[in-house]
């Protein structure tokens, strides 16, 4: 079981990778590839695909990670 800190860009990148979306390297930089992965994730969850990790996207990521048995900080 892993721990994911969704309050940091690096933690979001690691979460996206765990969930099968490719944000590129988990370097803490929310560049174009990370934004594309966020939009793809948002689309898969029926969320507004704006590439921004807001409250609803963060909650969805946390729910999906917890369903896999991971610890999450939102």
């Amino acid at each position: 079981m892993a721990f994911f800190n969704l309050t940091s860009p690096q933690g979001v990148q690691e979460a996206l990778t765990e969930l099968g979306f490719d944000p590129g390297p988990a370097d803490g930089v929310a560049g174009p590839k990370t934004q594309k992965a966020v939009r793809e994730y948002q689309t898969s969850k029926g969320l507004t695909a704006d590439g921004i990790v807001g409250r609803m996207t963060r909650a969805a990521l946390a729910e999906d990670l917890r369903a896999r048995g991971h610890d999450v900080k939102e």
Side-chain angles (χ1 to χ4, degrees):
M1 180 171 13
F3 172 76
F4 293 88
N5 181 353
L6 300 180
T7 65
S8 75
Q10 183 175 355
V12 169
Q13 290 167 326
E14 291 167 352
L16 289 165
T17 299
E18 170 67 20
L19 296 172
F21 298 87
D22 182 13
D27 58 5
V29 178
K33 195 163 186 179
T34 297
Q35 291 171 8
K36 180 177 185 280
V38 171
R39 285 192 304 273
E40 290 170 353
Y41 176 76
Q42 290 168 325
T43 298
S44 78
K45 301 304 285 185
L47 300 169
T48 300
D50 59 8
I52 298 168
V53 182
R55 183 181 53 83
M56 293 179 73
T57 300
R58 194 175 319 279
L61 285 166
E63 181 180 336
D64 286 347
L65 291 167
R66 288 183 179 121
R68 291 179 176 218
H70 299 297
D71 288 328
V72 180
K73 177 182 179 187
E74 292 180 65

